[in-house]
Amino acid sequence: VVETIDLCKVYRMGLTEIHALKNVNLKVYRGEMVAVVGPSGSGKTTLLNLIGTLDKPTSGKIYIDGEDITTKSEKELTLLRRRKIGFVFQFYNLIPVLTAYENVELPLLISGVPKKEREERVRRLLEMVGLEDRMNHRPDELSGGEQQRVAIARALVNNPSIILADEPTGDLDTETGLMVVQLMRKLAKEEDSTVIMVTHDPQISEIADRIIYLRDGRIIGEHKSDD
Amino acid sequence: VVETIDLCKVYRMGLTEIHALKNVNLKVYRGEMVAVVGPSGSGKTTLLNLIGTLDKPTSGKIYIDGEDITTKSEKELTLLRRRKIGFVFQFYNLIPVLTAYENVELPLLISGVPKKEREERVRRLLEMVGLEDRMNHRPDELSGGEQQRVAIARALVNNPSIILADEPTGDLDTETGLMVVQLMRKLAKEEDSTVIMVTHDPQISEIADRIIYLRDGRIIGEHKSDD
Ligand SMILES: Nc1ncnc2c1ncn2[C@@H]1O[C@H](COP(=O)(O)OP(=O)(O)OP(=O)(O)O)[C@@H](O)[C@H]1O
Ligand SMILES: Nc1ncnc2c1ncn2[C@@H]1O[C@H](COP(=O)(O)OP(=O)(O)OP(=O)(O)O)[C@@H](O)[C@H]1O
Ligand SMILES: [Mg+2]
Ligand SMILES: [Mg+2]
């Protein structure tokens, strides 16, 4: 459902070139949960941003459900993102003036979901991540891990077929982290969605079906999880 | 060197009251590295912000080097922070328009350190956290973990006697995380500084001399580390 071919990304800063991704070839199948692990600076966020159409490759191809997204217009990409992709950002990107509830509701408002159904889905997701008592808090009235859980709920509320999660448990204790990732896995299995999850936590990566290893912008190996 | 007595913090939102800290009694000794662990939302950041004078308690006392900081003026608190406290924030708070180098240099500029010595100390710290090749990058040109390491270097550059680190390895892979915390410990031992470190990572908490457990705003236990 997601495929990259010889994917490269070079950041240019004046005369300096940073080769963040070098010929990355990756296949992720429908219903799979894949973990991407690697040292700080190895290119994980860059990879996720390219797959999520938030940035453009320097060279190489990216296919989502068989369509080459490198040839799409901005308008087509925006529609694709809205319909198919749920993104948990490394730094959440919550809207500061909206409450937790309103932040999670936003994708449903954009998709035109009717009020009663919106309310049910937002409440259900906030309960599932343990934030039923924090719905009316704005981001600056939430702890780091609570903000992270709002970001996760927001990414899942629209039932996207592809979930891209950049370090979804970085600010969570072990128990809460395992809970949200098990939740993502459960929802993905129910909907036959695909999850690509960047993580530094070995315990979290073990929940995935397959673990892909990145180093200095290259895939250096992968293995199936043993459960 | 740090002592809290019956420390309480209540956040008020309209008619709602959130009791984030409830009668916290804590003693931290000079040269000690203490880890504070607990579930998301248990009050760790609140505790660190109170000790770091970034926020005021609702009731209770906080002593730093024997001085009651709850009775100090804003001016006195600012001087205290500048002289004694180095803070690694849960969300870094780097200055977006400054490079990594300039962000780390800032505390030294504020303290009036001469140019040659500033340059030596900034470079040394950035090398120690593995960012010698990223000195001229601004925060938006850095990966999450690279930004976190800039924040750590900045907190350490002024040789503060009290280092408060809020989840300093949340965006770092295991190897890099262990490296920076071993670095903090080494520098603290050399300077006889004190480190209070909030962390969700059991491996990181094991590096500390003592681990304090927080739950629902209360200290529920502690134990010495076994090394
Ligand atoms: N400004 C605020 N107004 C209301 N409630 C707040 C405010 N700031 C924090 N809280 C609440 O206080 C509690 C403690 O917050 P704190 O940030 O100290 O938790 P934490 O232990 O650091 O959590 P995490 O591990 O998720 O970072 C949380 O439940 C949070 O929702
Ligand atoms: N806009 C940019 N300009 C220049 N270099 C960049 C830019 N963005 C990222 N980089 C560099 O590209 C490399 C890969 O960055 P990326 O954010 O993908 O790493 P990462 O694997 O997500 O790291 P982390 O685990 O620390 O979040 C890093 O070394 C970073 O310094
Ligand atoms: Mg990243
Ligand atoms: Mg916190």
Side-chain angles (χ1 to χ4, degrees):
Chain A
V1 70
V2 172
E3 183 172 2
T4 75
I5 300 183
D6 282 345
L7 192 60
C8 294
K9 179 68 180 180
V10 178
Y11 294 112
R12 290 192 179 84
M13 297 166 56
L15 294 172
T16 322
E17 282 192 351
I18 308 270
H19 291 252
L21 290 179
K22 305 164 191 164
N23 293 103
V24 170
N25 290 285
L26 177 67
K27 277 201 183 88
V28 183
Y29 302 94
R30 173 158 306 288
E32 229 191 344
M33 179 185 244
V34 168
V36 177
V37 306
S40 172
S42 54
K44 307 179 297 295
T45 294
T46 302
L47 177 59
L48 232 56
N49 286 350
L50 292 181
I51 293 172
T53 77
L54 299 175
D55 196 2
K56 297 203 179 304
T58 306
S59 66
K61 293 272 168 227
I62 302 171
Y63 295 89
I64 291 184
D65 289 334
E67 295 181 47
D68 180 354
I69 66 169
T70 55
T71 58
K72 285 183 179 290
S73 69
E74 277 312 314
K75 206 156 181 286
E76 292 174 298
L77 288 177
T78 303
L79 283 170
L80 172 72
R81 265 196 301 272
R82 210 171 275 178
R83 277 189 17 251
K84 290 195 179 186
I85 299 175
F87 214 120
V88 185
F89 297 93
Q90 191 164 4
F91 295 112
Y92 319 160
N93 291 0
L94 297 180
I95 300 186
V97 299
L98 299 183
T99 63
Y101 183 99
E102 292 164 341
N103 263 287
V104 177
E105 185 188 32
L106 201 54
L108 300 181
L109 278 172
I110 294 175
S111 299
V113 173
K115 185 157 173 38
K116 187 160 178 302
E117 185 183 350
R118 282 203 315 266
E119 200 167 329
E120 286 176 17
R121 283 160 71 166
V122 173
R123 284 181 170 280
R124 174 169 164 259
L125 266 161
L126 284 171
E127 283 172 25
M128 283 171 134
V129 297
L131 291 179
E132 57 272 21
D133 298 331
R134 293 288 181 271
M135 291 204 250
N136 299 325
H137 288 233
R138 288 189 317 270
D140 67 350
E141 296 166 330
L142 291 170
S143 79
E146 291 168 344
Q147 292 176 38
Q148 189 158 36
R149 285 181 270 161
V150 174
I152 292 168
R154 178 180 64 176
L156 298 175
V157 76
N158 227 355
N159 265 330
S161 57
I162 301 171
I163 299 160
L164 303 176
D166 200 344
E167 315 237 11
T169 64
D171 280 297
L172 299 175
D173 52 286
T174 308
E175 188 177 344
T176 313
L178 287 170
M179 179 204 27
V180 300
V181 175
Q182 302 285 14
L183 172 70
M184 280 201 275
R185 186 184 179 90
K186 168 172 175 293
L187 293 177
K189 289 287 178 228
E190 284 172 12
E191 305 291 333
D192 206 28
S193 310
T194 307
V195 181
I196 304 177
M197 174 173 74
V198 165
T199 182
H200 282 311
D201 190 332
Q203 242 186 327
I204 296 296
S205 63
E206 285 303 315
I207 297 176
D209 300 310
R210 183 162 51 114
I211 303 173
I212 293 174
Y213 295 87
L214 209 61
R215 179 183 285 276
D216 290 329
R218 292 186 196 278
I219 293 182
I220 58 164
E222 60 169 84
H223 78 249
K224 295 223 183 300
S225 229
D226 318 307
D227 61 285
Chain B
V1 71
V2 172
E3 182 171 4
T4 74
I5 300 183
D6 282 345
L7 192 60
C8 294
K9 179 68 179 179
V10 179
Y11 293 111
R12 290 191 180 83
M13 297 166 56
L15 294 171
T16 323
E17 280 192 353
I18 309 268
H19 291 253
L21 291 179
K22 305 164 191 165
N23 293 104
V24 170
N25 289 285
L26 177 67
K27 277 201 185 86
V28 183
Y29 302 94
R30 174 159 304 288
E32 230 191 342
M33 180 187 242
V34 167
V36 176
V37 307
S40 172
S42 54
K44 306 180 296 297
T45 294
T46 301
L47 177 60
L48 232 56
N49 285 351
L50 293 181
I51 293 171
T53 77
L54 298 175
D55 195 3
K56 297 203 179 306
T58 307
S59 65
K61 292 275 171 224
I62 302 170
Y63 295 88
I64 292 185
D65 289 335
E67 295 183 47
D68 181 353
I69 65 170
T70 54
T71 60
K72 285 182 179 290
S73 68
E74 277 311 316
K75 207 158 180 285
E76 292 174 297
L77 288 177
T78 303
L79 283 171
L80 172 73
R81 265 196 300 271
R82 212 171 274 177
R83 277 190 16 251
K84 290 196 179 185
I85 300 175
F87 215 119
V88 185
F89 297 92
Q90 190 164 3
F91 294 113
Y92 318 161
N93 293 359
L94 297 179
I95 300 186
V97 299
L98 299 183
T99 63
Y101 182 99
E102 291 163 341
N103 263 287
V104 177
E105 185 187 32
L106 201 53
L108 301 181
L109 278 172
I110 293 174
S111 298
V113 173
K115 185 158 173 36
K116 187 159 177 306
E117 184 183 351
R118 283 203 315 266
E119 200 166 330
E120 286 176 16
R121 283 161 72 165
V122 173
R123 282 181 172 278
R124 175 169 161 258
L125 266 161
L126 284 170
E127 283 171 23
M128 284 171 135
V129 297
L131 292 178
E132 58 272 22
D133 298 331
R134 293 287 182 270
M135 290 204 248
N136 300 324
H137 289 232
R138 288 187 318 271
D140 66 351
E141 295 166 331
L142 291 171
S143 78
E146 290 166 346
Q147 293 176 38
Q148 189 158 38
R149 285 181 272 161
V150 174
I152 292 167
R154 178 181 65 177
L156 298 175
V157 76
N158 228 354
N159 264 330
S161 57
I162 300 170
I163 299 161
L164 303 175
D166 200 343
E167 315 239 9
T169 65
D171 280 296
L172 299 176
D173 53 285
T174 308
E175 188 177 343
T176 312
L178 287 169
M179 176 197 44
V180 302
V181 175
Q182 302 285 14
L183 172 70
M184 280 201 276
R185 188 185 178 88
K186 169 171 175 291
L187 293 178
K189 290 288 177 226
E190 283 173 11
E191 305 293 331
D192 205 28
S193 311
T194 307
V195 182
I196 305 176
M197 173 174 71
V198 165
T199 182
H200 283 310
D201 190 333
Q203 241 185 331
I204 296 296
S205 65
E206 285 303 315
I207 297 176
D209 300 311
R210 186 163 47 116
I211 303 173
I212 293 173
Y213 295 88
L214 211 59
R215 179 183 285 277
D216 290 327
R218 292 185 197 283
I219 293 183
I220 59 164
E222 62 168 84
H223 77 249
K224 295 222 181 299
S225 229
D226 319 306
D227 60 290

